[in-house]
Amino acid sequence: MELDKRQAADSGEGCLVGVIRVPVKIVALIVVLPVRVVWDLLVAFGQAVRRHVLGPLSVYVVQPALRAAGLVLTVLLKLVFVWPWVGSWRFVLEPLHLHVLAPGGRLLYAYLLRPLGEALARIGRGGMRYLLAPLAKGVAWTGWALCMILFVWPWVGLWRYVLAPVGRGLLWLAGVVHRYVLTPVGQALLWLGGAGYRYVLSPVGQALVWLGGAFHQYVLTPVGRALVWLGGAFHRYVLTPVGRALVWLGGVAYRYVLTPVGQVLVWAWHVAGRILRAVWRAVRLVGRVVVGWPVAQVYRHVLTPVGHVVREVWRTVRTTVRQARADVRKALFGGPGREPVRSRARTLGSTTAVSNTPAPESPLPQRQG
């Protein structure tokens, strides 16, 4: 206790750190230390069993047994599935093929199959030359004769003895009708058409042309001139005064009505914009006073100190637990306490430790003054 007080006094730690460190050390000695000791003993026991029992057992018992079982299984599989077929092929099927089937096949081919094939080939050539070829020629000639009798000669006789004479007669009759009937009738119709055009259509057309000219000269021209005069008078004495009056009315309305109304609308738009800007500034000011300033004060005067206190308490607890573990290791195994690798001091920007001894840590920053 005196040593802890001296260390606390040397490091400049406050009473809050001492009050938190003592319960944490007690909890570490009662809970963490037995669990850590049991865990280390279990790890050492497991390593010893693996090194002195499981390793030799695997090397000298399990692996030889597995190799022997694999060799026996390989021999059994070969004995059941490989050697019977290899022996049957080598000592039964191959000698039977070499000494029985192959010589018998050669003899059968040389003295039976080849002479029989040659005899059949001679018989086939003779039958083709003296039987099948004449028979095929007779069948082909009979078929050609039947086709000619059934499909060619009837149509040829019909064309030669029926259709050709009838066609010639019809052509002669058509020539006679054209020469002695159609030609005189056509000439008579042409003469009648020329006479009708000369003595009927031409006088009627001339009369219609004269009537059209007279109607245009004595009817359409005076009416068109009258309509043009009326249109000019209507434009001069009606449309022009009315248009001038409408233009004057439009100018008066633009000058004395639309311009003042537009100026009033522009002024109202600017006034509305100023009012909206003032309202927005007021809303911003109210939000800053009602929400922003209280939140900033709470963060500055409440949350920040609470966060500092929580951080200091966490650092104190962590440092106390590490020191308790180091003291227990030193008491059990002797020698200086060794911190975990992750807690060793490291150089800036590097992952290598400065030394094997842990760097002194202070849970709280040194307070001055």
Side-chain angles (χ1 to χ4, degrees):
M1 295 296 293
E2 294 178 357
L3 181 61
D4 294 338
K5 292 181 180 179
R6 187 179 302 170
Q7 291 179 355
D10 294 339
S11 60
E13 298 172 348
C15 60
L16 180 62
V17 177
V19 170
I20 294 173
R21 177 176 294 176
V22 172
V24 170
K25 282 188 174 183
I26 294 172
V27 172
L29 290 173
I30 296 174
V31 178
V32 178
L33 180 60
V35 173
R36 184 71 186 197
V37 170
V38 172
W39 174 255
D40 292 337
L41 291 175
L42 291 175
V43 170
F45 178 73
Q47 292 178 355
V49 169
R50 182 178 62 83
R51 183 178 302 171
H52 300 288
V53 177
L54 296 180
L57 182 64
S58 174
V59 173
Y60 298 104
V61 177
V62 177
Q63 292 181 4
L66 291 177
R67 284 196 292 269
L71 182 61
V72 172
L73 183 60
T74 303
V75 172
L76 289 175
L77 291 175
K78 287 183 178 181
L79 184 62
V80 174
F81 295 103
V82 178
W83 290 343
W85 301 102
V86 173
S88 62
W89 168 256
R90 183 175 298 174
F91 300 105
V92 177
L93 297 177
E94 189 176 6
L96 181 63
H97 176 265
L98 292 177
H99 302 289
V100 177
L101 295 179
R106 287 194 291 269
L107 293 174
L108 182 65
Y109 173 76
Y111 296 102
L112 180 62
L113 296 179
R114 188 171 65 180
L116 182 60
E118 292 177 355
L120 291 175
R122 294 192 189 95
I123 293 171
R125 285 194 295 269
M128 174 65 70
R129 180 178 298 176
Y130 300 106
L131 180 61
L132 296 178
L135 182 61
K137 291 179 180 179
V139 171
W141 184 86
T142 303
W144 176 81
L146 289 174
C147 290
M148 292 296 291
I149 292 171
L150 295 176
F151 300 104
V152 177
W153 290 344
W155 300 105
V156 171
L158 179 63
W159 168 260
R160 182 176 296 175
Y161 300 105
V162 178
L163 297 178
V166 172
R168 292 191 189 99
L170 291 175
L171 289 175
W172 177 81
L173 182 60
V176 170
V177 171
H178 178 268
R179 179 177 297 178
Y180 298 104
V181 177
L182 297 178
T183 300
V185 172
Q187 291 176 358
L189 291 175
L190 288 175
W191 181 83
L192 289 174
Y197 174 77
R198 181 178 297 175
Y199 300 106
V200 178
L201 295 178
S202 180
V204 172
Q206 292 177 0
L208 291 174
V209 169
W210 180 81
L211 289 174
F215 182 75
H216 179 271
Q217 186 174 356
Y218 298 106
V219 177
L220 294 180
T221 301
V223 171
R225 290 175 182 175
L227 291 176
V228 169
W229 180 81
L230 288 175
F234 182 75
H235 178 270
R236 182 178 297 176
Y237 298 107
V238 177
L239 295 180
T240 301
V242 171
R244 291 176 180 175
L246 291 176
V247 169
W248 180 78
L249 289 175
V252 171
Y254 176 77
R255 181 177 298 177
Y256 297 104
V257 177
L258 296 179
T259 301
V261 170
Q263 293 176 356
V264 170
L265 290 176
V266 171
W267 177 80
W269 179 264
H270 289 296
V271 171
R274 293 180 181 179
I275 292 172
L276 289 177
R277 284 196 294 272
V279 170
W280 174 246
R281 291 174 183 172
V283 170
R284 288 176 57 187
L285 180 61
V286 170
R288 185 179 300 173
V289 172
V290 174
V291 178
W293 186 79
V295 170
Q297 296 301 320
V298 169
Y299 177 78
R300 182 178 301 172
H301 298 290
V302 177
L303 297 179
T304 301
V306 170
H308 292 325
V309 171
V310 170
R311 183 178 62 186
E312 292 177 359
V313 169
W314 170 249
R315 288 181 178 177
T316 303
V317 171
R318 184 178 62 182
T319 305
T320 303
V321 171
R322 290 181 179 178
Q323 289 179 358
R325 289 175 58 187
D327 294 339
V328 170
R329 186 180 295 275
K330 181 178 179 182
L332 292 176
F333 301 102
R338 184 172 60 87
E339 289 292 327
V341 178
R342 62 176 179 274
S343 64
R344 295 177 184 175
R346 300 185 183 277
T347 58
L348 183 60
S350 175
T351 58
T352 57
V354 176
S355 63
N356 293 329
T357 59
E361 296 183 0
S362 60
L364 296 176
Q366 297 292 336
R367 299 178 181 177
Q368 298 179 358

